[in-house]
């Protein structure tokens, strides 16, 4: 089947919804560009006490977000929260709104989970289903963090292979899907699809400064305006190669890795403090380490110890993600092939020798 025929059939046969079909539940979030609620379908109100869907009432950026979600659903459905439907709701008093509907994936974002005192053990049973046969300690914590990183990079690789850069990767935008026991990406509100030129000009004000890579502008200043769609479609693979816009998300994902290894950087203030320190070291993680390690407290030392396991392979991966120059950062696909993720294979090898 041709992709376009499929897309057409899907649109044609998919259930469509209207405003009155939903019963609003708890508010899950409120940002500058929309409000998010847990909702249920009016047709089956008693099916569940709380809704099994999520609704975002979005402003003008909702149109782009619907477009991104539909593309993701066709190209890499399990990278992101499952998107059902989006439509323009024009009868609202506040003016036109875009309504977007997803499956309710679960109650925890990675932000909730890393802020818990139990992290990473609170995630262990969620992703592995059972407790590992290892004593508590950095080895076991590292395995859990490794699994989370693998899932994040897998989802990110799916998005990037589709030509989408997320631009707002942070723990608040990673949801734990209870159904599939995996982390998925949410909130494509700031995403850009470079292959067809949708949301081509980066809107700086959409970027979260705590997780943003130093380049800020994802496309270089040599490509300041959006070409028309067909021109962009032809050019963008080239632009992608030149500018490596995906590496913006890699930097943010590296910061999440850092937060998982170092409890002190998990809060907003902790992360802001780290960013300040790193900037002072010209974004050189090894230089940063040299300045902080000699006077490091027990928590910081424990983080380095975790990353130094297996010959420092975790530290190696971290430093290949958090780099000043986008082109020196690994891609999501290359990161997935990094030896950090072969720990079991390495262990088996050392056992045989
Ligand atoms: P915002 O633009 O407000 O950041 P998000 O899309 O990030 O909107 O959603 C806000 C919050 O709603 C998320 O941080 C998460 O807690 C919750 N949420 C969003 N989508 C889902 C989903 N599919 N399943 C469960 N919770 C979700
Ligand atoms: Mg969000």
């Amino acid at each position: 089947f041709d992709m376009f025929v499929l897309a057409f059939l899907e649109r044609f046969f998919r259930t469509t919804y209207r405003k009155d079909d939903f019963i609003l539940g708890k508010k899950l979030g409120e940002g500058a560009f929309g409000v998010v609620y847990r909702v249920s379908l009016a047709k089956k109100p008693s099916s569940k006490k709380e809704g099994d869907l999520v609704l975002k009432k979005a402003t003008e950026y909702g149109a782009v977000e619907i477009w991104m979600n539909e593309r993701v659903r066709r190209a890499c459905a399990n990278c992101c929260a499952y998107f059902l439907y989006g439509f323009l709701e024009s009868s609202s008093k506040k003016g036109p709104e875009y309504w977007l509907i997803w499956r309710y994936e679960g109650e925890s974002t990675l932000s909730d989970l890393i802020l818990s005192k139990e992290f990473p053990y609170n995630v262990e049973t969620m992703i592995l289903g059972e407790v590992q046969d290892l004593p508590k300690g950095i080895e076991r914590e590292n395995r859990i963090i490794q699994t989370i990183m693998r899932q994040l990079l897998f989802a990110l690789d799916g998005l990037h292979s589709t030509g989408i850069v997320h631009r707002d990767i942070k723990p608040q935008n990673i949801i734990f899907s209870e159904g599939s026991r995996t982390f998925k990406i949410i909130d494509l509100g700031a995403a850009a699809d470079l292959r067809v030129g949708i949301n081509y000009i980066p809107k700086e004000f959409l970027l979260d400064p705590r997780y943003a890579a130093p380049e800020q502008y994802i496309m270089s200043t040599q490509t300041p305006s959006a070409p028309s769609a067909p021109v962009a479609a032809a050019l963008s693979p080239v632009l992608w190669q030149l500018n490596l816009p995906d590496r913006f998300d890699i930097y943010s994902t590296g910061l999440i890795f850092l937060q998982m290894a170092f409890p002190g950087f998990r809060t907003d203030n902790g992360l802001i403090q780290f960013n300040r320190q790193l900037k002072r070291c010209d974004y050189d993680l090894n230089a940063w380490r040299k300045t902080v390690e000699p006077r490091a407290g027990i928590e910081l030392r424990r983080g380095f110890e975790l990353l130094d396991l297996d010959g420092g392979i975790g530290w190696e991966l971290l430093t290949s993600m958090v780099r000043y120059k986008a082109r020196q950062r690994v891609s999501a696909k290359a990161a997935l092939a990094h030896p950090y993720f072969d720990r079991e294979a390495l262990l088996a090898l050392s056992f045989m020798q």
Side-chain angles (χ1 to χ4, degrees):
F1 250 164
D2 185 78
M3 204 180 100
F4 295 101
V5 178
L6 259 181
F8 173 78
L9 286 176
E10 190 189 67
R11 261 222 108 94
F12 200 79
F13 289 107
R14 182 167 289 275
T15 322
T16 55
Y17 298 100
R18 290 176 304 112
K19 188 181 182 185
D20 300 335
D21 293 333
F22 303 101
I23 300 170
L24 260 57
K26 194 180 156 215
K27 193 189 275 188
L28 296 174
E30 179 157 16
F33 307 100
V35 193
V36 179
Y37 302 90
R38 191 165 174 180
V39 299
S40 51
L41 275 176
K43 269 177 280 180
K44 41 168 203 171
S46 56
S47 63
K48 261 193 190 156
K49 217 169 169 191
E50 285 170 295
D52 45 15
L53 300 175
V54 167
L55 159 70
K56 183 185 273 190
K57 294 185 187 179
T59 58
E60 64 268 31
Y61 296 109
V64 173
E65 201 173 342
I66 291 174
W67 199 90
M68 295 292 165
N69 274 281
E70 298 214 324
R71 192 154 149 66
V72 164
R73 187 181 56 212
R74 287 194 293 272
C76 60
N78 42 20
C79 311
C80 293
Y82 188 79
F83 181 68
L84 275 98
Y85 190 61
F87 56 97
L88 179 65
E89 174 49 54
S90 39
S91 68
S92 160
K93 278 174 241 130
K94 288 179 233 149
E97 288 174 333
Y98 287 95
W99 284 36
L100 293 88
I101 312 288
W102 293 268
R103 177 163 69 205
Y104 178 78
E105 297 281 358
E107 62 178 356
S108 327
T109 65
L110 185 59
S111 171
D112 306 324
L113 294 165
I114 63 172
L115 287 171
S116 153
K117 278 201 300 287
E118 302 299 314
F119 184 83
Y121 296 108
N122 56 343
V123 177
E124 183 172 49
T125 42
M126 295 170 78
I127 39 183
L128 301 171
E130 62 200 46
V131 177
Q132 297 180 87
D133 192 19
L134 259 179
K136 280 199 176 181
I138 53 165
E139 295 258 349
R140 186 160 144 195
E141 288 160 31
N142 186 42
R143 281 215 202 163
I144 305 165
I145 292 171
Q146 234 171 17
T147 308
I148 301 171
M149 281 304 290
R150 195 192 291 115
Q151 293 182 357
L152 291 187
L153 287 164
F154 177 82
L156 206 55
D157 179 37
L159 277 186
H160 292 169
S161 303
T162 309
I164 295 175
V165 187
H166 187 281
R167 303 199 293 188
D168 198 15
I169 293 290
K170 56 183 175 184
Q172 293 86 340
N173 286 338
I174 315 264
I175 189 90
F176 184 74
S177 167
E178 287 162 11
S180 64
R181 286 180 184 275
T182 55
F183 286 96
K184 295 183 176 180
I185 294 169
I186 55 172
D187 200 352
L188 297 169
D193 187 325
L194 295 151
R195 307 222 163 152
V196 275
I198 298 278
N199 199 1
Y200 198 83
I201 308 173
K203 293 186 188 62
E204 280 174 276
F205 59 89
L206 285 176
L207 305 178
D208 188 321
R210 292 166 303 171
Y211 292 89
E215 64 266 26
Q216 302 272 334
Y217 300 92
I218 292 158
M219 304 304 288
S220 84
T221 44
Q222 277 114 50
T223 53
S225 60
S228 67
V231 175
L235 270 179
S236 55
V238 178
L239 290 177
W240 187 285
Q241 280 306 312
L242 280 176
N243 296 295
L244 301 169
D246 56 316
R247 307 303 152 85
F248 188 84
D249 291 342
I250 291 293
Y251 187 95
S252 314
T253 309
L255 289 187
I256 299 177
F257 188 17
L258 178 105
Q259 291 186 297
M260 293 198 285
F262 298 97
F265 302 141
R266 290 179 196 160
T267 60
D268 279 356
N269 283 338
L271 184 59
I272 289 167
Q273 197 196 332
F274 167 80
N275 285 334
R276 223 178 278 139
Q277 293 172 359
L278 188 64
K279 195 172 176 188
R280 245 183 267 132
C281 300
D282 294 321
Y283 297 92
D284 179 340
L285 260 184
N286 283 305
W288 169 78
R289 182 172 181 164
K290 282 202 191 96
T291 67
V292 297
E293 206 166 20
R295 53 185 173 85
I298 182 149
E299 232 185 44
L300 208 55
R301 263 185 287 147
R302 206 168 178 279
F304 287 124
E305 212 183 307
L306 185 147
L307 294 166
D308 282 345
L309 288 170
D310 305 307
I313 222 148
W315 177 255
E316 211 289 322
L317 176 62
L318 179 66
T319 51
S320 64
M321 297 178 82
V322 180
R323 286 214 174 126
Y324 182 77
K325 285 204 169 119
R327 74 178 43 259
Q328 290 178 353
R329 294 176 210 143
V330 280
S331 66
K333 209 182 285 305
L336 280 170
H338 191 277
Y340 176 63
F341 297 109
D342 303 336
R343 221 179 75 95
E344 265 128 21
L346 284 175
L347 277 178
L349 257 177
S350 64
F351 187 70
M352 275 156 56
Q353 282 165 355

